[in-house]
Amino acid sequence: MYTPDEEKIAVPVGTTLDRFIKQHQQAFPHASGELSQLLRDIALAAKVVNREINRAGLVDIIGGFGSANVQGENQQKLDVIADIRFIRALKNGGEVAAIVSEEKENIIFTGNDHGKYVVAIDPLDGSSNIDVNVSIGTIFSIYRRITPVGSQPTIEDFLQGGRKQAAAGYILYGSSTILVFATGHGVNAFTYEHSLGEFFLSHKNMQIPLTGNIYSCNEGNYYEFPEYVQKYITNCKSKRYAARYIGSLVGDFHRNLLKGGVYLYPPTKKTPVGKLRLLYECYPLAYLIEQAGGQAFSDIDRDILDIKPTDVHQRSPLYIGSTEMLDDLHHEMRNE
Ligand code: AFP
């Protein structure tokens, strides 16, 4: 129809998220279409939140909301906006029966008792970076409920453990906005094209490099870290590794996923059980990293996905990233 030279004039736009989901639906767990729709609902909320974040400097939505969330942290206005947007999209989508959000103490029942899924979400992570125009993110984890469809979900639907996730992912609102997710068959990333209002497949079947030269942690807490972490950090320095820490988990994780590296949030005196939340920070990223060929653990014997949760807002230490770098950390743990 067209010559190759003519074809070159109009560069193909690539695979949209929607087309990708349709093409891969058979590979999704239980493949009946609801999970696909749920991912579309998340993508829609992500677009709206992305718009709000981009407008944040222009309108009065930067700054504190004047209340504290369930973790006792100051809520930022954008935290509240993102929470509302994601919960509304998931409610309206109809596939989700209940939601756990970082911003809400109790389980949110959507009223869709016929929905087959429940979602744990951190609607806007890294909120201390909002006011200073630094990357922030959304992290989500999806479970197929274990309570009978048609009944009201219970906390047990959320406490199934990381290995039971049906899908997980994140959205990074950075120099570009990118949606990364996995459903058990590899990790794929979709970059948002503003002018078309669509996410396009940009990183297919992502694999984290086996090793790297980046370590990411809040080194200000160094003297509170366990000795094995201190030794590991000293080794990183002696190898002249680069220290890179944004303080936005999604941003730090995404960089390390692409370049190879390790992210550490050890227990500290202030947070002896770790700071990060198991259900909507650690589990989803651990699920992704395993499928991308990396590792995630919480202490010497505990692969993070094997922790049996007891509380929806529970915290955990997190060590996550390139396999060989984590092997070195594990070695320091064993020698302690
Ligand atoms: P905020 O949402 O309160 O900024 O916390 C962000 C976060 O959960 C995660 O995104 C960061 O990696 C980590 O905490 C930063 O914690 P420190 O400020 O203690 O380093």
Side-chain angles (χ1 to χ4, degrees):
M1 191 160 64
Y2 292 107
T3 66
D5 278 345
E6 282 169 337
E7 288 276 0
K8 271 190 217 152
I9 300 170
V11 181
V13 289
T15 306
T16 63
L17 174 65
D18 222 47
R19 192 187 301 162
F20 179 92
I21 288 174
K22 272 193 202 117
Q23 284 170 351
H24 292 80
Q25 184 150 315
Q26 288 316 312
F28 284 15
H30 307 286
S32 51
E34 290 96 342
L35 184 56
S36 308
Q37 184 52 46
L38 205 172
L39 287 166
R40 288 190 193 99
D41 298 336
I42 288 179
L44 173 64
K47 288 180 194 177
V48 180
V49 170
N50 178 63
R51 186 194 63 191
E52 313 274 18
I53 290 170
N54 287 335
R55 288 184 333 141
L58 300 174
V59 292
D60 183 31
I61 51 176
I62 276 185
F65 186 68
S67 61
N69 67 5
V70 55
Q71 325 289 341
E73 297 151 349
N74 276 334
Q75 272 183 313
Q76 303 285 322
K77 285 182 196 167
L78 270 171
D79 278 328
V80 178
I81 292 172
D83 194 47
I84 293 171
R85 292 294 184 191
F86 276 100
I87 290 172
R88 194 178 286 161
L90 293 173
K91 267 188 186 169
N92 292 344
E95 316 300 347
V96 176
I99 303 162
V100 158
S101 162
E102 190 207 16
E103 301 300 327
K104 296 275 182 317
E105 179 153 16
N106 298 320
I107 295 174
I108 301 152
F109 297 103
T110 60
N112 306 319
D113 287 348
H114 287 278
K116 293 182 179 152
Y117 293 93
V118 297
V119 171
I121 189 162
D122 184 349
L124 209 54
D125 185 63
S127 44
S128 51
N129 282 322
I130 294 173
D131 284 3
V132 289
N133 253 353
V134 173
S135 301
I136 41 186
T138 298
I139 313 174
F140 60 90
S141 163
I142 303 173
Y143 295 87
R144 204 173 157 86
R145 54 188 293 196
I146 48 175
T147 47
V149 171
S151 66
Q152 195 177 68
T154 70
I155 192 169
E156 299 310 322
D157 291 312
F158 291 96
L159 301 182
Q160 298 182 47
R163 298 238 170 254
K164 295 285 185 189
Q165 290 172 100
Y170 60 84
I171 299 119
L172 172 62
Y173 311 95
S175 49
S176 61
T177 295
I178 190 161
L179 166 62
V180 181
F181 74 88
T183 58
H185 299 271
V187 181
N188 294 285
F190 298 80
T191 301
Y192 187 56
E193 160 57 83
H194 289 256
S195 59
L196 298 175
E198 289 272 16
F199 283 100
F200 287 94
L201 180 61
S202 53
H203 303 68
K204 208 171 169 183
N205 205 4
M206 298 171 88
Q207 289 290 302
I208 185 168
L210 211 53
T211 191
N213 63 1
I214 294 174
Y215 71 100
S216 316
C217 65
N218 186 342
E219 233 176 314
N221 295 329
Y222 181 86
Y223 293 110
E224 295 189 14
F225 288 162
E227 218 176 301
Y228 58 83
V229 176
Q230 293 181 343
K231 280 194 192 144
Y232 179 73
I233 291 174
T234 307
N235 287 343
C236 290
K237 288 177 196 291
S238 67
K239 290 179 183 162
R240 302 288 185 271
Y241 285 174
R244 295 280 182 275
Y245 189 68
I246 304 169
S248 271
L249 177 57
V250 175
D252 283 312
F253 177 87
H254 187 71
R255 182 202 50 243
N256 293 355
L257 174 60
L258 292 177
K259 296 194 163 184
V262 64
Y263 174 97
L264 315 121
Y265 209 108
T268 62
K269 287 193 185 106
K270 200 169 111 196
T271 54
V273 291
K275 176 186 178 190
L276 302 177
R277 274 67 77 168
L278 186 59
L279 260 70
Y280 38 82
E281 292 186 305
C282 302
Y283 275 166
L285 299 187
Y287 179 84
L288 293 171
I289 208 78
E290 272 206 359
Q291 288 180 52
Q295 284 190 47
F297 54 87
S298 67
D299 61 37
I300 185 155
D301 290 325
R302 289 232 281 195
D303 192 320
I304 212 145
L305 291 173
D306 292 327
I307 297 178
K308 179 80 190 116
T310 52
D311 183 273
V312 292
H313 295 295
Q314 137 181 15
R315 296 172 190 264
S316 168
L318 176 66
Y319 307 104
I320 190 164
S322 293
T323 297
E324 285 183 6
M325 295 179 81
L326 282 166
D327 285 346
D328 291 344
L329 175 64
H330 216 244
H331 178 75
E332 293 300 344
M333 282 181 171
R334 278 198 305 268
N335 286 348
E336 198 175 71

